[in-house]
Amino acid sequence: MPLFISYSHADADFVECLAKQLVRHKQYVWLDKWELNVGDSLIQRIQSALHLTPGLIVVLSKASVDSEWCKKELESGLLRELEEKRVVVFPVIKDDCKLPLFVRGKVYADFRTNFDEGFRALIEAVSKITNASQGRVERPDFHTDWAIDWGATDGSAWMRFVLLDHSPQFPYSCYSEVRFSFDRATSDWFQRQAAADKSEYAQLQVTEVLAKQLARAGDLRVLLPDQYIKRVTLECIDDTSPIRFMVEIMARRLGEDTGRDVLFDVGSQLMKIYEGWTKIIQPPRNAV
């Protein structure tokens, strides 16, 4: 899903420059000037975008802080922050103006004196919620850092998650790899998507099939009684699409031996990654 930019039309030139820079840095952007067509329902389209966006970039200026429309968009973003308990609103200061109270407790991107420095601060902030290739799953007792890569070997496409589960409360961590091996038809489809610059959406579709399988199975856990690699395999077939593949999970425990077995819930981590992806990966207009 794209980042939504809230702004006053008095700042249109600045905002269009900002949006183009974000696109050059491979960010999806929702800008009313680019997205709305003659005859569209203005309120409906904007409300839908605000509901789905992973982040709201609020351009603050003399014009926008007095705009009732901008205030409503800002209120929607702040409400989502409270409901979802995560950062949703990213303030951008364009010029000297009376800052809303919420900004005084937030770090903001300051464009008043230097565009490049302001943009650098903004791109660093939004990348944490828009990068679909790596991230962190937060839990009360553990963090799971993850990354994904893909490629082709002897003409057959593959995909892989790498996860590292760790916590300051425990003297060990769990490392795992989740490798997807596609059948011939799925491999050909995946490589066509990648060639059309739609690999992220293809990865989302593959992970959705796995998520459905995990929902039917209940969970996917690997017992780690010692430091040796443990393997689990799972066949995934989707009744609603031609996507078929095998999943091989390799997991091992690192660090101190506490004398206790560890039950690593890799299925739960993959489900959380998938749920996060649905918020930031935009479906292509046409599938390949």
Side-chain angles (χ1 to χ4, degrees):
M1 293 295 117
L3 293 164
F4 185 100
I5 302 182
S6 173
Y7 70 104
S8 165
H9 280 212
D11 302 317
D13 290 344
F14 168 84
V15 170
E16 186 161 8
C17 179
L18 175 63
K20 288 178 179 178
Q21 286 295 327
L22 287 166
V23 170
R24 290 191 185 101
H25 283 74
K26 300 181 179 180
Q27 298 292 335
Y28 293 118
V29 173
W30 198 99
L31 189 63
D32 56 0
K33 182 178 179 180
W34 295 352
E35 300 292 339
L36 296 176
N37 299 310
V38 174
D40 282 347
S41 170
L42 184 65
I43 295 176
Q44 184 178 358
R45 287 290 306 277
I46 289 178
Q47 284 181 338
S48 177
L50 280 169
H51 176 71
L52 294 174
T53 182
L56 172 66
I57 297 174
V58 180
V59 178
L60 298 170
S61 68
K62 294 182 179 69
S64 68
V65 295
D66 293 328
S67 167
E68 292 301 320
W69 191 274
C70 291
K71 289 178 184 177
K72 290 179 180 179
E73 292 174 345
L74 175 57
E75 288 171 0
S76 297
L78 293 175
L79 181 61
R80 281 190 56 192
E81 281 202 353
L82 292 173
E83 291 176 344
E84 300 176 16
K85 298 180 180 179
R86 68 179 185 88
V87 176
V88 174
V89 178
F90 298 88
V92 163
I93 311 298
K94 173 184 174 285
D95 54 39
D96 291 324
C97 58
K98 184 178 179 180
L99 299 180
L101 285 175
F102 88 96
V103 176
R104 300 171 193 176
K106 275 181 170 285
V107 176
Y108 52 81
D110 193 343
F111 284 75
R112 286 176 292 187
T113 58
N114 189 299
F115 186 97
D116 291 340
E117 289 183 5
F119 184 78
R120 189 178 303 111
L122 178 63
I123 200 69
E124 288 176 358
V126 299
S127 292
K128 295 178 181 178
I129 65 165
T130 60
N131 188 340
S133 299
Q134 63 186 82
R136 170 172 285 191
V137 174
E138 300 276 6
R139 289 179 290 159
D141 53 347
F142 273 90
H143 304 303
T144 301
D145 292 327
W146 63 270
I148 186 171
D149 58 356
W150 63 272
T153 304
D154 297 329
S156 296
W158 53 265
M159 191 173 97
R160 177 180 61 181
F161 283 104
V162 177
L163 302 94
L164 181 62
D165 210 50
H166 57 98
S167 168
Q169 302 176 34
F170 298 94
Y172 62 83
S173 58
C174 298
Y175 173 87
S176 61
E177 292 189 16
V178 182
R179 188 177 180 107
F180 299 72
S181 300
F182 305 132
D183 69 2
R184 173 53 61 183
T186 303
S187 176
D188 292 344
W189 163 81
F190 190 94
Q191 291 185 83
R192 289 198 304 273
Q193 294 278 32
D197 199 25
K198 299 172 183 176
S199 60
E200 285 187 354
Y201 188 62
Q203 292 164 12
L204 174 66
Q205 290 178 283
V206 169
T207 309
E208 181 179 16
V209 174
L210 176 58
K212 291 178 181 178
Q213 185 81 14
L214 293 176
R216 290 192 293 266
D219 61 28
L220 182 58
R221 304 183 183 186
V222 182
L223 182 65
L224 304 175
D226 49 42
Q227 80 275 20
Y228 296 108
I229 294 175
K230 302 298 181 292
R231 288 180 169 84
V232 175
T233 58
L234 180 68
E235 183 179 19
C236 293
I237 299 174
D238 186 15
D239 296 333
T240 62
S241 78
I243 299 175
R244 297 178 177 226
F245 54 87
M246 294 293 298
V247 171
E248 181 182 27
I249 299 166
M250 297 172 286
R252 69 185 307 171
R253 192 174 69 191
L254 310 172
E256 291 184 13
D257 185 354
T258 61
R260 297 182 180 181
D261 295 348
V262 173
L263 191 60
F264 180 47
D265 188 358
V266 65
S268 174
Q269 311 313 323
L270 291 170
M271 288 292 286
K272 289 182 182 298
I273 293 170
Y274 168 70
E275 290 167 3
W277 267 3
T278 61
K279 298 176 182 179
I280 66 174
I281 296 180
Q282 185 178 34
R285 296 183 183 275
N286 298 297
V288 176

